[in-house]
Amino acid sequence: MDSEKILTVIITGAAGQIGYSLIPLVASGQTFGKDVKLHLRLLDIESQVEKLKGVVMETQDCAFPLVLSIEYGYDPEVIFKDADVGIFVGGFPRLKGMERKDLIDKNVKIFKEQGKALNEVASPNCKVLVVANPANTNCLILSKNCPNIPKENFTAMTRLDHDRALNQIALRTESRLEDVKNVIVWGNHSSTQYPDARFATIKGESLDYKGDEDYYKGDFISTVQKRGAAIIEARGFSSSMSAANAASNHLRDWYHGSEDMLSMSILSDGTHYDIDDNLCFSFPVKCTGDFKHEVIDGLDIDDFSREKMNITQKELTDERDLGEEQ
């Protein structure tokens, strides 16, 4: 990579709590590196623009040396212009009593509009990370409305679930977190996701999965699946700091590359692990740098894993079909 590069980075939902936590990670160089200069473009809905103005003022007051300019507003056709990276944090939240189909209906409208704007004005090689839930289906909708940008440039975030899984293994085995590698989160960023510890290693040695199989097939999976709900119950708010950190980790490794097996939701093409095409599904991937990634194929899928993967694939298929009805 060049010694100095300039990226135009958009963050949607930038006035919200995840956006507020994410901006300093991006602006300080933690995400893309200390040699990458940035044009920040911050988007939120019209009613949040005054709040967004305050976020911009704070960002300016941080005096981040890497930030060349900041623009903000509510019109995606203005904010998305020439974007190199799009981080889609903003979406319609699930409200009390709302059915999942209602949530998808609200977000279809948002991501259709933003996809069309991205298609018209962003860089044709723009790289996309969708964080807003339902992240996988929002990513699929965004891509369908943005044919000018290659499908491999669209990703959704299961890195938070991946990082949660790593931490649970570290706690269970009384290991250092940095020594735990190679967990997988399959499928949807939802309660149907399948956190898979079968290939995990600690200091390069295989995890004793069989010796603790009841845990790794039981409480381990449910703890990772329900972690977001547990945080809401304890804190009274949804995950913000950890979600922002996971988004930064996802983008850092996608941009710089990583030796680790990572979890990333990508647009499926029907060629990996018998997962249907036309879904946004989380697979084990290797990030090779410069925003390139490849699915790690050839891992054994036992009957237990196949059943879990089928459940999460069914949910994603249902979400896709609901979205296509809108």
Side-chain angles (χ1 to χ4, degrees):
M1 294 181 188
D2 297 334
S3 59
E4 179 177 285
K5 186 170 183 176
I6 298 174
L7 292 175
T8 297
V9 179
I10 60 174
I11 300 175
T12 75
Q17 286 300 304
I18 297 175
Y20 187 77
S21 298
L22 178 60
I23 288 167
L25 300 181
V26 173
S28 66
Q30 182 167 322
T31 305
F32 298 111
K34 300 290 187 180
D35 59 347
V36 179
K37 302 289 188 180
L38 303 167
H39 294 294
L40 290 182
R41 303 290 181 258
L42 308 179
L43 181 87
D44 217 304
I45 58 176
E46 188 172 2
S47 63
Q48 296 297 302
V49 167
E50 190 63 24
K51 185 177 178 182
L52 184 56
K53 179 182 177 182
V55 173
V56 171
M57 292 166 67
E58 276 206 83
T59 306
Q60 292 170 332
D61 292 349
C62 287
F64 293 114
L66 298 175
V67 177
L68 300 176
S69 68
I70 307 173
E71 294 181 15
Y72 71 99
Y74 61 87
D75 185 346
E77 290 198 0
V78 174
I79 300 300
F80 292 179
K81 186 170 176 56
D82 300 326
D84 298 305
V85 179
I87 313 172
F88 288 79
V89 178
F92 195 92
R94 189 169 187 171
L95 304 176
K96 187 175 181 180
M98 180 182 285
E99 298 291 336
R100 194 166 185 84
K101 61 181 176 60
D102 298 323
L103 178 67
I104 290 171
D105 178 41
K106 293 285 189 183
N107 280 286
V108 163
K109 295 181 175 65
I110 294 170
F111 281 85
K112 275 185 176 179
E113 177 191 0
Q114 293 187 350
K116 291 173 182 176
L118 200 70
N119 194 63
E120 290 298 318
V121 302
S123 162
N125 200 32
C126 183
K127 306 302 190 297
V128 172
L129 169 61
V130 178
V131 177
N133 287 319
N136 296 58
T137 298
N138 286 342
C139 183
L140 184 66
I141 293 164
L142 193 72
S143 71
K144 285 180 178 294
N145 288 275
C146 191
N148 287 343
I149 294 176
K151 288 186 176 182
E152 60 266 26
N153 291 18
F154 289 87
T155 66
M157 192 172 81
T158 41
R159 183 59 179 265
L160 177 54
D161 312 297
H162 181 96
D163 290 348
R164 287 166 170 168
L166 289 173
N167 190 58
Q168 291 303 312
I169 292 173
L171 292 172
R172 181 72 174 182
T173 60
E174 298 182 344
S175 303
R176 285 189 173 190
L177 184 61
E178 67 193 50
D179 294 330
V180 183
K181 308 288 184 182
N182 300 337
V183 301
I184 305 167
V185 175
W186 300 94
N188 199 5
H189 174 62
S190 75
S191 60
T192 70
Q193 66 180 249
Y194 170 40
D196 183 358
R198 292 175 301 137
F199 306 100
T201 60
I202 300 174
K203 289 188 175 180
E205 300 292 326
S206 295
L207 173 72
D208 183 19
Y209 180 87
K210 290 293 185 182
D212 203 4
E213 192 167 9
D214 287 346
Y215 169 72
Y216 288 113
K217 285 186 172 181
D219 287 349
F220 168 73
I221 293 174
S222 61
T223 297
V224 177
Q225 288 176 335
K226 299 174 182 177
R227 186 70 165 185
I231 288 170
I232 291 173
E233 179 67 24
R235 183 172 174 260
F237 299 96
S238 61
S239 308
S240 300
M241 175 175 59
S242 57
N245 184 70
S248 179
N249 289 346
H250 175 119
L251 290 162
R252 180 199 65 214
D253 290 337
W254 195 15
Y255 182 64
H256 290 286
S258 173
E259 292 299 316
D260 295 344
M261 179 189 293
L262 301 171
S263 302
M264 181 183 286
S265 289
I266 61 175
L267 300 182
S268 58
D269 60 8
T271 66
H272 304 289
Y273 295 103
D274 294 323
I275 299 302
D276 293 341
D277 64 355
N278 195 27
L279 295 173
C280 185
F281 194 94
S282 182
F283 291 100
V285 303
K286 175 74 175 294
C287 291
T288 56
D290 197 24
F291 291 114
K292 291 181 172 60
H293 59 273
E294 55 192 38
V295 175
I296 298 171
D297 282 314
L299 299 174
D300 178 60
I301 305 299
D302 58 19
D303 290 343
F304 177 83
S305 298
R306 179 56 62 192
E307 180 182 0
K308 293 294 186 184
M309 290 163 70
N310 286 343
I311 290 169
T312 196
Q313 178 176 221
K314 173 66 163 56
E315 182 182 54
L316 282 169
T317 302
D318 290 345
E319 286 186 10
R320 178 197 65 198
D321 294 346
L322 281 170
E324 288 178 351
E325 290 173 6
Q326 308 306 321

